[in-house]
Amino acid sequence: MNGFHNIDLHIHSCYSEDGEYTPAKLVQMCMGAGVTIMAIADHNCVKGSQEAVEIARHEHLRCYPAVEIDCTYQNTNFHVLGYDIQLESPDFEAIEQNVRRQCADASKERLRLINRMGFTLTETELKAITAGGYWSEHWTGEAFAEALLKNEKYLGSGILRPYREGGDRNDNPYVNFYWDYCSQGKPCYVGMTFPDMRDVIGIIHRNGGKSVLAHPGVNLQGNFERIDQLISLGLKGIEVYSSYHTPETARWFLNKAEQFGLFVTRGSDFHGKTKPMVQPGCCGTDKVS
């Protein structure tokens, strides 16, 4: 499975609530990194992919239409990637609007829970972080981390120490704070109503696409065998090579893909400042033997 280092099928643009760069900038960054086959797969939004596909065409860069959709299965949150989808389908606009309707209330509740830990962040501080963004009304865990870490009032905070220079969670501090405090099961998690994974797989396939389970080593941590249940729902592929996966994790999911006859994808999950240690084309190791 070596020899495809020019592929990155999981990149986020400013049309993701935690993405930084425009689609045009990402096309240029991919070209500079030697990536010749790419996909912008934004969270619950296809507008970045629409722009990138057109821009890449003029640059003679292959760009697949894509999206990453939040969904649930048996009360657990997952991300499913859709490739080669019909970007103009109203199905994807409906998915975006479902999330957007819940953003403001969820963000305010997240602020309440964060402040309950001893902070005094304000809505004004968070709006300054997200101002001008496509999802400006959505304050993600990463946005909270950025606001907290930039605020001099909290330089002595023990909670934030691991995310500062020299801390053991400093490699990607914003997203690590999200995983530690705002992801499912953590103290500042705020639930939102996402579609069932079976419905998401159906939507992707109905719109001519292929469904792929994103970074399974994260969402299935501690229970990899559960992927058999997910595959039975109709998934067509697994994101085996990811910046999240160790060689051992990649090998485990590669074996699963081969066992069930699924195709394999490779993606960095690049966001920009949210994950400074991840760059386009950086998808972990491809050497899993």
Side-chain angles (χ1 to χ4, degrees), residues 128-187:
I129 297 291
T130 61
Y134 186 70
W135 295 87
S136 60
E137 76 282 13
H138 191 184
W139 307 330
T140 63
E142 293 90 343
F144 280 98
E146 184 175 356
L148 290 168
L149 289 167
K150 287 182 175 179
N151 194 319
E152 292 185 357
K153 289 191 301 183
Y154 308 125
L155 287 176
S157 168
I159 291 175
L160 298 179
R161 190 173 299 120
Y163 310 98
R164 299 194 186 280
E165 186 175 355
D168 60 4
R169 299 290 281 161
N170 178 249
D171 57 341
N172 290 304
Y174 297 165
V175 75
N176 285 341
F177 180 90
Y178 158 76
W179 286 115
D180 293 343
Y181 288 99
C182 300
S183 61
Q184 191 174 26
K186 302 300 182 179

Side-chain angles (χ1 to χ4, degrees), residues 209-228:
K210 301 174 182 65
S211 58
V212 175
L213 185 64
H215 42 63
V218 175
N219 300 92
L220 291 171
Q221 191 171 20
N223 191 10
F224 283 2
E225 292 292 348
R226 195 179 180 197
I227 197 171
D228 290 14

